[in-house]
Amino acid sequence: MIPEQLKKTLEARVAHAFSAREAAVDVMKDLQFHYGWLTDEAVGEAAEILGLSRLQVEELATFYEMIYRRPVGNKMIHICDSISCWNAGYEKILDHLKARLGVEVGGTTADGQFTLVPCCCMGRCGDGPLISIGSTIYDNLTPELVDQALELERLSGSAAPEHQGQA
Amino acid sequence: MEQVLFRHNRPGRVVTFKEYCDEGGFNALRKAISEMTPNEVQQAVIDSGLRGRGGAGFSTGRKWSFVPRDLPGPRWLICNCDEMEPGTYKDRVLLEHNPYSLIEGVTLACYALGVRHAFIFIRRGYEKAANNLAQGLIEAKEAGLLGKRILASEFSVDIDLHLSAGRYICGEETALINALEGKRPNPRSKPPFPATKGLWGGPTVVNNVETLANVPAIIAKGPGWFKGLARNAEGAGMKLFCVSGAVKNRVCVELPTGTTLREIIDGPCGGMKPGTKFKACIPGGASTQFLTPEHLDVPMDYDTVAKVGSRLGSGAIIVFEEGCCLVAATLNLITFFARESCGWCTPCREGLPFVKEVLTRIEAGAGEERDIEILREHVKYLNYTFCALAPGAMAPLDGLLRHFEAELREHIVQRKCPFK
Amino acid sequence: MPKLIIDNLPVEVAPGTTVLEAARSVGITIPHFCYHPALALASACRLCAVKMLDGPVKGIQMSCSLPAQDGMVVSTTDPEALKMRALVIEWLMINHPHDCPVCDEGGECLLQDFTIAGGHSRRRYQGDKRTHRNQYLGEHIYHEMNRCIQCYRCVRFYQDYAGGTDFGVTGSAGRVYFGRFEDGPLESPFSGNLVDICPTGVFTDKTGRFRARYWDYQFAPSVCQHCSVGCNLAPQVFQREVIKIVGRRNDQVNSWFICDRARFDKKGINDPSRPRAPRVDGEATDYEAALDALAARIYDFVEVHGPESLAFVGSSRLSLEGCLMLGELVANFDAASLSFYGDPAEAKGSQLATELLSGENVAAPADLASADCIVLLSVDLMNEGPMLAPFIRKAWLGGTKVYRIADPALLSGQQLPFDCIEAATLAEVPLEQASRAIVVCHATRTPREELSDVAATGARLAMLQPGPNGFGAALVAREHGARPFDELLAARKVRGIVAFESDLPVANLKGITVLGCADWQATELSQKAGVFLPTTTWMESTGTSINFEGRAQRFERAFRPGYPLKGLDAKYYAQSRYGEPAPGQPKTPPPQPPRIPRGEIPGGQEIEAWKAMARLLEKLGGELIVEPLTGSWQPLRDIDPEAGGERIFSLFKSSEPDTL
């Protein structure tokens, strides 16, 4: 169940749109922010708010890379594997991350803190290799800097799950 | 050097609304509304020679001219800020320093096109750019430069931001329209082109950020001035080049169109990374062909780059050094495109993974002679897809086969990657 | 009219025709998967590649999405086009499983055909095949996603054409998936069409999987007898069992599709307890003896009670031939009565339709798609004429307003695949502003005055009938002065009836002798009848029925009646696929007939109802009629079952339709 206030905000967003569907991505992102990932329950709520079926929400949710239909850790770690970051040696960073976190690509750490996924591209091709943890970018990485970034993110706790839409 | 888009930039921070206005910002809008008809604005953009900076390089003014002005119902303008072409980060740099040129450019375009409502479609991960724009929209509105009855004229425009949830294909203009409508972002069949039937069925223009951000200067200083900024006769205006890869300084710079590759690398980039030698580069983002050392003096402009078999594209230059395996580089690019296929048409959805499988094997030393034929077939037949994604994906592979076939064969003959 | 050349053949087609369709018009089939004439263009599979040798466009093009233009020179056999098509097949076969031997689609699979045609036989891709999890989609359709070739036909049909919202496409790139949000039965009443429309074996008919192969089936063009729309379909029969039913194209009536009731409700026909043998006083006998007995009893009855006490009763599910023969039977007795309907409302309404409708004011189902205003007037659309709904949806998607004047008793709770504006009365609907308005109503429920109001606006009528041949029965009823059975009861004259495929409730027949009953179902009436004559179902019959718009359609016999050779599997019987056994019937189905040489099919004595009537008439002293379509009906003899049927209004030019 989402709080009444959030529901009202989302309904207002839909009302502002030219068509309800136009607000679909915003609604999914806000629900994901609330739940941490887009749960089945959230899909149902999105469907109700948007006047769509759950399947129709699913059709959209599964298309976008930043909508998660499976549980993820408190913070998403995106590692850019684009050609520029490849050229800058992202593979070394990825191996290091996998070893540090004890997960494969797509996996969530045992403590539920991080989920590691590749992504392309982050539009910071001059600063590779780089990752984002939550909404923070860490660029020009070396393995040492990765360790520092992880340390920093662990300390900053699990309060704020990543949310791209809350710009 | 004269800067157009970066003219208002402040090091390390975003220019303020006041600073932008003090430096002549929004004067173009004032001029257009008070002195020019919408048609004159369009004509100025046509005359300026401005071409689409998103990658296709089509004349911006002419694109506008395709929009029928006599159809009932609303027309739409969409600014494409779904900058997801690997290697490309110019729009982000622009908007992180200055959102106002774009806001003014969008408003001018709306004036020329008779659009009441515009959208700026922003990719995921561009929070700072989006924040700048959101702030800028509020400021412009408060200053009477946006919203109802702009500058007390009859002209009104609203601009909405749409924050995407991330997919490369959303940058394709018809996929972007579907995404904005809240449908699955598969590209649409063309014809009908968006200019006649786009967003919610209305005539729609989709322009890139850099394209629209150039419009205020064109209106303020005139099309002739803009055209004259280029270094070569065919070119027009300045171009943002964003460089990544094996150069000393990976920078995003504004240079006249027609500047050569060598000048870009040796100038603002400070040359190659110490101890490395130029082997090849991709001149315009992931979906363009490799250029080689013999192309270093090619002026970076749409037609001249096209003449040597590649494309200026988005102006994203990715530099590879001697010793870098271009089979592996191409494999990286193909992997990207295979992942980003929307899944609509067969050749893209199934053909790209096929290419990926073949390149993976070759890179791993398990390639066979016939694999080269398979790759060639794909380069040719992946052109017949529903949209431009797969043909774009084939561009680097085509370049690999054209300029570096020997390197590919070495992989097969040696049964390993010769660079490992 | 664009003129072009395809494979050296000059072709002239209507503007807007695609190259693929133009080629088809001269007998050249360009391979395709995603193209379907009834669906919006997808241009997704890229199989229909042709090479444009000359004209406004050149090189490899997709023929499905390329409008034919003057001066085009097209080659469908150019090596480059062939190579493109071969590659498309190779790409699709990268992931398609090699499970044809155990796939129910085998033999009727487009992918199979075009793989062979394209010459793809050797695998060059060395990676693994992609796999998916299947979903449970209910008891009608089996889902096998690994076979999917992503032509998007299913989702374009299900969501766009039929308006379903619980099935669609998720994921992207190589992981696109066609299914539901979660396991569960498909909600659309048109879901079964996924089986027909899928070019390969992703969706197969669960009710008939693995019973036979395509080439084993007996087929015939047939017409659905579930409601008065008269959708065209084809039963697929193997060894006297209806295994599957598939849709058959009729652009005016049902396009390419049929509803799930038409497709999956095979219960009655395959019912193991279907009465197969003629009976006299409950004792099985042969047909000749039963007819003799019935003739004798009728004779005696008339002797004792007089012909005015005798009534012949038919129904709106009787074929037109049956209705006409029933008229002949009645005519054999001076004062006997004829009745097709029990309920006077049904009789009157049905009759009214035949009086009011003409070729000008009647709307065919497909006309709804281009209507500019549609009214649903006291009609339970999804029960009484579901296949009208997709056409209405099409109009609605194009901006046509649909009004509903609902009868609270008729709200079946089924969702309509379009939005309605609720209206209290017809007066609230701006009919006069429309130029192509259509009012969808039901003959039984619409009073004459209301229809006059409609007529005054120039709107056309889609007036559904109480039975599949309601229109035909009403025409014959008019010709022979038939009366509703309830009226006959009220007059208290009738003391004995002979019923043919009638659903009269037995409770109404106190003090009335059921001398004879002919039917293919075990009705209450058949239990009560002194003489019972088994008849054939429409799938075992050749005959004619007239749908609600006065369209006479021919259905042809798909198979000879009799016990299915295989016997009906106890397993299926237990699952109630063919219904619960009738009271008093054994729990197990009839065993497979013993293998003894015989000239007749066991349980195969059924004949068409009209033939039973003809033989009865002969025994009653009449002449043997071998062709019931005579007089003004004669032109209907030549109806081509595959040509879409014929409106009957021209047959009755002399009798002008009543003015409203």
Side-chain angles (χ1 to χ4, degrees), chain C residues 350-524:
Chain C
S350 200
Q351 195 85 14
L352 185 63
T354 62
E355 289 162 15
L356 297 184
L357 296 179
S358 68
E360 285 73 48
N361 68 4
V362 74
D367 293 337
L368 285 160
S370 53
D372 59 356
C373 177
I374 295 171
V375 186
L376 302 182
L377 179 59
S378 303
V379 66
D380 181 0
L381 193 69
M382 301 313 271
N383 275 321
E384 293 170 343
M387 281 314 292
L388 302 189
F391 291 117
I392 299 176
R393 175 178 165 78
K394 196 171 178 190
W396 172 75
L397 285 174
T400 296
K401 289 199 169 77
V402 184
Y403 296 85
R404 177 165 65 174
I405 300 165
D407 184 338
L410 298 176
L411 295 174
S412 60
Q414 280 172 317
Q415 283 221 301
L416 296 171
F418 46 82
D419 291 342
C420 290
I421 301 166
E422 301 291 343
T425 63
L426 209 51
E428 289 177 21
V429 181
L431 272 178
E432 54 292 330
Q433 288 167 26
S435 58
R436 297 182 309 280
I438 296 175
V439 175
V440 183
C441 58
H442 195 280
T444 310
R445 262 174 253 120
T446 321
R448 198 182 182 103
E449 310 76 62
E450 212 162 357
L451 290 171
S452 313
D453 295 344
V454 173
T457 66
R460 284 185 291 170
L461 286 166
M463 201 174 182
L464 296 168
Q465 286 278 349
N469 189 36
F471 202 101
L475 284 172
V476 176
R478 208 168 129 193
E479 202 174 307
H480 290 273
R483 294 171 67 194
F485 195 74
D486 287 11
E487 271 183 41
L488 297 178
L489 279 180
R492 294 174 180 278
K493 270 201 294 197
V494 172
R495 304 190 58 181
I497 62 167
V498 182
F500 289 88
E501 300 186 351
S502 161
D503 297 309
L504 278 187
V506 168
N508 289 1
L509 298 179
K510 288 202 179 74
I512 294 176
T513 312
V514 183
L515 294 167
C517 172
D519 211 324
W520 54 269
Q521 291 175 334
T523 59
E524 273 186 297

Side-chain angles (χ1 to χ4, degrees), chain B residues 249-391:
Chain B
N249 308 315
R250 297 172 293 179
V251 290
C252 176
V253 288
E254 181 173 18
L255 295 168
T257 51
T259 306
T260 66
L261 208 48
R262 190 187 303 279
E263 287 166 326
I264 297 170
I265 293 172
D266 289 346
C269 294
M272 292 294 290
K273 222 189 267 179
T276 63
K277 215 174 139 222
F278 181 90
K279 178 180 182 181
C281 82
I282 286 174
S287 52
T288 56
Q289 274 161 328
F290 290 107
L291 293 182
T292 63
E294 62 175 289
H295 301 121
L296 278 170
D297 294 313
V298 172
M300 294 296 278
D301 183 35
Y302 297 97
D303 297 339
T304 43
V305 177
K307 255 179 228 160
V308 297
S310 187
R311 290 191 308 120
L312 181 63
S314 61
I317 301 168
I318 306 154
V319 180
F320 302 96
E321 74 280 16
E322 284 287 355
C324 173
C325 175
L326 292 185
V327 175
T330 309
L331 173 59
N332 172 281
L333 289 165
I334 295 293
T335 304
F336 162 78
F337 285 112
R339 195 168 66 197
E340 293 301 327
S341 166
C342 78
W344 183 258
C345 75
T346 309
C348 178
R349 187 188 57 245
E350 313 293 353
L352 290 175
F354 196 172
V355 173
K356 181 182 159 187
E357 186 266 333
V358 170
L359 283 178
T360 306
R361 256 191 304 108
I362 293 175
E363 177 63 14
E368 300 161 33
E369 181 60 32
R370 69 165 187 181
D371 288 338
I372 292 181
E373 189 48 38
I374 295 177
L375 294 179
R376 278 194 207 290
E377 283 176 6
H378 280 78
V379 166
K380 178 169 181 192
Y381 288 96
L382 282 194
N383 275 314
Y384 308 126
T385 45
F386 189 81
C387 80
L389 188 141

